[in-house]
Amino acid sequence: MLEARGISVRFGGHMALSDVSIDAPAGQVTGLIGPNGAGKTTLFNAITGLLTPSAGTVHIDGRDVTRLKLHRRARHGLARTFQQLELFTMLTVRENIRVAADIHHRWSPEPGDPGVLTEEIIDRVGLAAVAGERVTALPTGQGRLVELGRALACRPRILLLDEPASGQDETETERFGRLLVEVASSGTAVLLVEHDMSLVMEVCSNVHVLDLGQILAVGPPAEVQRNPVVLDAYLGTDTGGAP
Amino acid sequence: MEKFLIFTVVGLTLSATYAVIASGLVLTYATTGIFNFSQGAIGMVAAFAYWQLRFDWGWPTPIALVVSLGLLAPAIGLAIDRGIMRGLRGTSEATRLVVSISLMVALIALANLVWEPGRSRPMSTFFEGSRVDLGITTITYHQAITIVVAVLIAAGLRFLLHNTRIGVSMRANVDDDALVLLNGAQPKRIAGISWAVGGFLAGVGGILIAPTLSLEAGSLSLLIINAYAAAIFGRLRSLPLTFVGAIVIGLTEGYLAGYLPGDNQYFAAFRPAATVVILFVALLLVPNPRLRSRAHLREYFPPPSRSGMVMLAVVVVVAGVVLATTLDTVSLITYGPVFSLGIVALSLVPLVGFAGQISLAQLSFAGIGALAVAHHGHDGSPLGLVLAVVLAAAVGTVVALPVMRLTGIYLALATAAFAVALDRWLFNLPDFSVGPVHVRLFGLGSVSVDPLRILGHEFDSPAALLMLSAVVFAAVSLLVAALRWSRFGRQLVAMRDSEAACATFGLNLMWPRVGVFALSAGIAGLGGALYAMQLGSVAPARFDLLNGLPIFILVVVGGAGLVGSALFAGGILYGVLPLTATLGPVIAKINSLFPGFTGVGLGRNPSGAVPVFSAAAGPLRNDPVVLASMGVAMAVCYVLRLAEVFGNWAFVVLLGVALVAAMVVARRRSSSGAQGPGQGAGAGPDPEDLEWVGVTEPFTPAHLARMEQVLDLQSVDLEGAELDPVGGRDA
Ligand SMILES: Nc1ncnc2c1ncn2[C@@H]1O[C@H](COP(=O)(O)OP(=O)(O)O)[C@@H](O)[C@H]1O
Ligand SMILES: [Mg+2]
């Protein structure tokens, strides 16, 4: 399980996050919603170690990883996808996932065959038909699946997904939701940033609402959706509001 | 005390010049994200122009200044922005850097063309001979002017950046046009203005410093190294810190000039390298840059195909044999470096092409290889070659470890600093000992190198050495290709796009970075060792920074991620250019412009020239009949040449005719043939067509699998059958 406590991030004079705490328990999908610019991606960056927060701690399964570098945190089971895709453009879908599987193979205490793992994941995320294509040939929606596949290839205990369904159509999103639930039910803590409220309602056990760098509300999706403070924050700032 | 003050003034004058040049550098970098290597060269051109107008043609000083500083220098800056830099959006840092390095090389070549080097061009300082008495010491007018100008420029820049609208949006800067647009500014105008101002500042610096040095294109352009060092203090962004850096560097140089004991060989050589050492140390203090992410590069380099690599290796070996058997001794020496320095070019393929890292010090590593083989390859002992690789790789690792957390431009600067430190300082030292380690260098001159001897066979003629280097080139090409197919190669290519993503999978980026750097240095060392054997006796000047730049440029121009680009670079630099230069002095002059100008054109086609050539030759390779006929025709020419029926020129022309004719015929046949190959490689089961996948369409493992099946090739197992899970499945 993931516990981030009191995270603050400052960009120059601008407080992108102030004293944000968030929990993502194992075996559940936890939602993180908020209008654009709320600081969701920044929070992911702080949790994974891509940027150093000015305050706050991060614990993974009770262990303090705040002082660890990016790759060390990853080895504690933290994996993520990027809102702005970070695909390896010279490589195919299969090779993209294989790179992650190979790296995981190197540090994992219980490595499997990375080739086999790669094929498993390709089937699991539904990319078999395009596995041989160069990733730049794919539409964004499928690019996000490649990112998910790469993250899964690290067999994460905590999985951070940054708007993974944007760019996917309705049937793809539905499939994706089922996949998420399945990943979570195998014991992974999933933290999901998503604008598609119906997906959030469907898969999340708990939702955190972030606005202007602060947590506005926490609770089960249905409750959060009725919360007047949340409605207020969303009105006029973002169209991806409640259905 | 008097001495101290005098050298303080000397130092401050240098500081002022460096500050002016460096502030232009910082301005363009902060506003456009392009690090202008040619900043010093622009100043150099302005200085030459000023000399021409003021001293050669005798124009009045103010007019000469207005034309060279007010018009020419900003115009060069603007032209660079309009003509060249705008085309570079979305290209890798290596590409952008190559363009600006090429620009420097091109401007030097151009200046050498217009103002023939070697002639004395006296240039007096401003108000020569007049001095100002400051009470405690006196200072020349020129020194006073230089310092005052720097102060005025500092004030002017501050005003521009803080008190004008355009300046404020220039400060907003950066990699993000969208952000600047939000502020209502026009990025294109900002870029244009900062390039013009940058050019002007370069010109001011050049004109102020040239009279106190000599008017020489190369050394004036390399003043830029001192300016970089200053700019690094400001992390390439802060102008005040850049001025601080300039003061530190200028004063250091001034005091070293005054106080370093001139009679000690070790110290005397240190002075010109001091700045570089400061630069290196300053780089160590740079905070960790952000990890490379979201590269979205326009360049694409498909992995080499197996059949293509086999063909490349065969062509190289055959070319080596043909050259070795047809050329006379003089020509063998002229064209000898095609393959040996070609190997140095090859060393850049994994580093620059796969990993996207930059090293400007490959020729220095080659120099280390040369030293190793000179001192440990006595009587042709193969140990010399082995040590050349090992020592170069070891030095590469030592250089890389402290700076490997840096990337891109910082790494490029660190390697340039290392190269300059070697060729200005270390390579010119007498032998010395550090504890138990005895370091033997060039012995203040040149060292002789024995040719290789393997199992009693001595490669003691230029012909034998040329063949040897061709064979080694072919072998190293295969090694580099195998690297690209391996797990490690895939990982390097992945890091090139997103180090951030790789790190989130748990990869410690340090080791692959250092690993590929060391590997690349080792390959360069091997090339340098072979080159040294060909020369028989080597001096450090062969391995200096400026000599290495064309290799770097041409590899990137060829397409840095493609093994063929090394052959392209070696072939053009040490084959085609010297060959055509024998046609006449005019062509020789034009040739001198070639590396710089082709590099400048890179922005138009960042994936390089090799794919263009390959595509042009595509139909030929798809047509076994024509290909075979061409081979036979060439073989006949070769036999006739060996029988002395005609000379080398006729031979070259005939080979060219055979190649062009074959390409034309193949093209005809492919476009008229009912089932011409080249149409829809994805659909037809045409085996040859697969060779051009990657040029004609993106390369996929499906193609690889088909290729293996069609060509019935067995896996070349280098890293435990890496390819199978990737390629074998969906065949
Ligand atoms: N590298 C950065 N430098 C400066 N400001 C940033 C940077 N990254 C994000 N921000 C700012 O921080 C705020 C939060 O951004 P982000 O985390 O991307 O929001 P979200 O993901 O919720 O849309 C925004 O105001 C954004 O402009
Ligand atoms: Mg975001």
Side-chain angles (χ1 to χ4, degrees):
Chain A
M1 101 164 245
L2 169 76
E3 296 156 286
R5 290 279 168 275
I7 306 271
S8 296
V9 172
R10 181 188 285 280
F11 292 120
H14 170 66
M15 284 299 275
L17 292 177
S18 21
D19 197 20
V20 170
S21 297
I22 195 165
D23 281 348
Q28 292 183 4
V29 181
T30 305
L32 175 61
I33 62 171
N36 281 323
K40 305 180 294 291
T41 301
T42 304
L43 181 61
F44 274 19
N45 288 343
I47 292 173
T48 46
L50 260 175
L51 60 78
T52 315
S54 48
T57 59
V58 179
H59 285 77
I60 294 174
D61 293 336
R63 187 179 290 157
D64 188 352
V65 298
T66 315
R67 306 197 149 270
L68 297 188
K69 283 198 192 161
L70 197 54
H71 69 273
R72 294 259 158 227
R73 296 189 193 197
R75 294 179 189 190
H76 280 93
L78 192 59
R80 71 172 289 180
T81 66
F82 294 87
Q83 181 183 0
Q84 305 263 2
L85 295 182
E86 293 279 352
L87 296 172
F88 307 136
T89 58
M90 296 266 186
L91 302 177
T92 62
V93 169
R94 174 176 283 117
E95 289 170 322
N96 261 269
I97 296 174
R98 180 67 192 265
V99 166
D102 282 336
I103 294 172
H104 171 257
H105 177 78
R106 203 98 45 81
W107 55 259
S108 169
E110 43 202 63
D113 180 331
V116 174
L117 179 63
T118 302
E119 297 310 318
E120 263 174 36
I121 286 172
I122 287 173
D123 286 338
R124 194 162 165 208
V125 297
L127 287 171
V130 293
E133 307 254 344
R134 209 183 137 198
V135 282
T136 45
L138 303 185
T140 314
Q142 281 188 320
R144 295 198 182 283
L145 291 180
V146 178
E147 286 228 343
L148 176 66
R150 293 192 317 192
L152 289 176
C154 301
R155 298 189 179 283
R157 288 209 300 282
I158 292 153
L159 180 59
L160 312 183
L161 303 173
D162 201 345
E163 305 197 15
S166 76
Q168 299 191 353
D169 64 27
E170 232 168 272
T171 46
E172 283 172 331
T173 306
E174 237 166 72
R175 247 196 78 146
F176 186 79
R178 282 199 299 277
L179 182 61
L180 279 192
V181 172
E182 187 189 306
V183 169
S185 64
S186 69
T188 306
V190 179
L191 184 56
L192 173 70
V193 165
E194 188 48 63
H195 280 304
D196 182 337
M197 285 309 285
S198 54
L199 177 64
V200 171
M201 300 294 294
E202 200 176 296
V203 300
C204 293
S205 327
N206 213 12
V207 175
H208 297 246
V209 185
L210 192 66
D211 188 28
L212 299 175
Q214 287 175 314
I215 295 283
L216 283 190
V218 185
E223 195 175 294
V224 160
Q225 211 179 13
R226 288 193 305 270
N227 187 324
V229 186
V230 175
L231 287 174
D232 207 37
Y234 264 82
L235 278 179
T237 50
D238 194 48
T239 47
Chain B
M1 190 60 197
E2 179 65 17
K3 187 180 176 188
F4 178 77
L5 287 175
I6 288 174
F7 285 103
T8 305
V9 172
V10 167
L12 283 178
T13 312
L14 285 172
S15 306
T17 323
Y18 298 157
V20 170
I21 301 179
S23 55
L25 195 67
V26 170
L27 197 67
T28 41
Y29 184 71
T31 50
T32 65
I34 290 175
F35 188 83
N36 185 15
F37 246 89
S38 62
Q39 179 79 353
I42 298 174
M44 175 274 293
V45 170
F48 268 99
Y50 176 69
W51 172 84
Q52 184 70 51
L53 301 177
R54 171 71 187 78
F55 296 99
D56 204 29
W57 294 346
W59 291 18
T61 306
I63 300 183
L65 278 180
V66 166
V67 173
S68 54
L69 263 187
L71 297 176
L72 181 67
I76 296 177
L78 260 181
I80 292 174
D81 177 49
R82 290 284 146 84
I84 302 167
M85 297 306 175
R86 279 195 191 168
L88 293 180
R89 296 214 164 273
T91 55
S92 70
E93 206 156 20
T95 301
R96 278 186 267 167
L97 197 69
V98 157
V99 171
S100 94
I101 289 174
S102 304
L103 203 58
M104 171 174 95
V105 172
L107 287 173
I108 293 176
L110 209 57
N112 281 334
L113 211 59
V114 179
W115 295 283
E116 200 183 315
R119 244 185 73 192
S120 148
R121 294 191 175 79
M123 203 173 169
S124 57
T125 54
F126 291 105
F127 306 101
E128 179 107 38
S130 322
R131 302 178 76 88
V132 196
D133 193 346
L134 295 181
I136 45 171
T137 183
T138 61
I139 161 173
T140 68
Y141 261 79
H142 190 86
Q143 288 171 329
I145 289 176
T146 305
I147 293 171
V148 169
V149 163
V151 172
L152 287 180
I153 281 176
L157 283 176
R158 200 190 142 75
F159 180 80
L160 173 73
L161 293 178
H162 290 264
N163 299 66
T164 65
R165 255 194 79 168
I166 189 93
V168 169
S169 28
M170 278 163 106
R171 279 198 302 144
N173 97 44
V174 269
D175 322 313
D176 196 357
D177 276 356
L179 211 68
V180 182
L181 274 174
L182 279 181
N183 298 336
Q186 298 152 292
K188 282 193 178 161
R189 239 184 88 207
I190 291 175
I193 289 175
S194 60
W195 275 99
V197 175
F200 169 76
L201 294 172
V204 173
I207 289 173
L208 283 174
I209 203 165
T212 64
L213 301 170
S214 69
L215 206 51
E216 203 271 313
S219 59
L220 278 180
S221 302
L222 282 186
L223 276 183
I224 188 66
I225 302 252
N226 305 45
Y228 298 153
I232 292 295
F233 276 74
R235 312 264 144 85
L236 299 180
R237 301 238 175 233
S238 154
L239 283 174
L241 284 176
T242 299
F243 273 75
V244 171
I247 290 172
V248 170
I249 289 159
L251 284 179
T252 308
E253 273 192 45
Y255 294 139
L256 285 179
Y259 294 100
L260 209 59
D263 47 6
N264 180 315
Q265 286 170 314
Y266 298 96
F267 288 139
F270 177 68
R271 195 162 68 84
T275 314
V276 170
V277 174
I278 296 179
L279 171 59
F280 207 79
V281 172
L283 282 168
L284 295 184
L285 302 178
V286 168
N288 281 337
R290 266 195 302 181
L291 294 181
R292 173 166 31 201
S293 67
R294 255 183 297 142
H296 291 311
L297 301 177
R298 262 158 62 197
E299 295 101 327
Y300 173 58
F301 305 119
S305 71
R306 278 152 199 249
S307 60
M309 283 313 302
V310 170
M311 197 173 250
L312 181 102
V314 169
V315 166
V316 164
V317 172
V318 168
V321 171
V322 170
L323 287 174
T325 49
T326 55
L327 294 178
D328 58 43
T329 308
V330 175
S331 310
L332 278 170
I333 291 168
T334 308
Y335 303 116
V338 166
F339 299 117
S340 55
L341 290 183
I343 294 172
V344 177
L346 207 43
S347 76
L348 287 163
V349 172
L351 188 71
V352 179
F354 300 168
Q357 298 286 17
I358 295 165
S359 163
L360 301 180
Q362 293 313 97
L363 207 53
S364 309
F365 293 125
I368 290 165
L371 280 173
V373 82
H375 295 303
H376 300 279
H378 296 299
D379 302 323
S381 157
L383 180 69
L385 279 189
V386 174
L387 272 178
V389 176
V390 172
L391 271 178
V395 175
T397 309
V398 171
V399 176
L401 275 174
V403 292
M404 259 311 141
R405 60 193 184 85
L406 304 175
T407 48
I409 185 68
Y410 290 109
L411 184 61
L413 284 177
T415 53
F418 170 71
V420 173
L422 285 195
D423 55 60
R424 285 196 195 161
W425 177 35
L426 272 175
F427 279 172
N428 298 315
L429 289 181
D431 297 352
F432 60 90
S433 295
V434 185
V437 185
H438 188 63
V439 179
R440 276 181 293 174
L441 298 157
F442 288 95
L444 300 177
S446 56
V447 285
S448 64
V449 183
D450 297 336
L452 182 69
R453 179 203 293 269
I454 300 177
L455 303 175
H457 177 76
E458 190 167 7
F459 294 83
D460 54 355
S461 68
L465 282 169
L466 188 105
M467 257 193 281
L468 173 69
S469 42
V471 170
V472 176
F473 181 97
V476 178
S477 304
L478 293 175
L479 182 88
V480 170
L483 174 74
R484 175 63 182 83
W485 294 323
S486 75
R487 185 178 65 189
F488 184 53
R490 230 165 26 225
Q491 191 178 298
L492 291 178
V493 172
M495 283 168 60
R496 182 176 188 276
D497 271 318
S498 178
E499 291 175 329
C502 287
T504 62
F505 305 148
L507 179 68
N508 184 353
L509 298 167
M510 183 79 177
W511 300 118
R513 281 180 186 170
V514 172
V516 72
F517 198 86
L519 175 84
S520 161
I523 295 175
L526 179 63
L530 289 168
Y531 180 52
M533 283 181 188
Q534 288 177 326
L535 293 170
S537 154
V538 283
R542 296 271 180 186
F543 301 105
D544 73 10
L545 174 69
L546 282 182
N547 277 332
L549 293 183
I551 301 181
F552 177 67
I553 292 172
L554 279 187
V555 168
V556 180
V557 167
L562 305 167
V563 179
S565 68
L567 191 60
F568 172 86
I572 291 209
L573 281 176
Y574 309 105
V576 176
L577 292 184
L579 176 69
T580 51
T582 60
L583 290 173
V586 180
I587 297 190
K589 283 187 172 173
I590 295 175
N591 279 352
S592 70
L593 298 176
F594 183 84
F597 277 81
T598 46
V600 167
L602 186 67
R604 310 232 174 275
N605 182 13
S607 292
V610 168
V612 179
F613 286 120
S614 308
L620 175 59
R621 270 187 61 182
N622 295 339
D623 194 330
V625 179
V626 179
L627 196 61
S629 324
M630 183 187 79
V632 170
M634 287 180 165
V636 169
C637 290
Y638 177 56
V639 170
L640 291 176
R641 167 66 191 84
L642 285 187
E644 307 274 347
V645 175
F646 41 69
N648 275 341
W649 275 112
F651 181 46
V652 169
V653 170
L654 282 173
L655 289 185
V657 168
L659 178 66
V660 172
M663 279 168 65
V664 170
V665 172
R667 170 151 307 198
R668 286 264 168 75
R669 277 165 54 98
S670 76
S671 54
S672 64
Q675 301 164 309
Q679 280 132 38
D686 186 6
E688 283 90 357
D689 215 15
L690 284 170
E691 322 261 290
W692 293 96
V693 168
V695 173
T696 51
E697 64 173 310
F699 186 89
T700 67
H703 291 120
L704 187 65
R706 273 216 323 271
M707 231 176 253
E708 281 173 5
Q709 181 194 349
V710 169
L711 301 172
D712 198 22
L713 283 176
Q714 295 304 308
S715 293
V716 187
D717 267 9
L718 274 127
E719 256 207 38
E722 277 307 320
L723 273 157
D724 282 333
V726 179
R729 229 156 274 263
D730 58 356

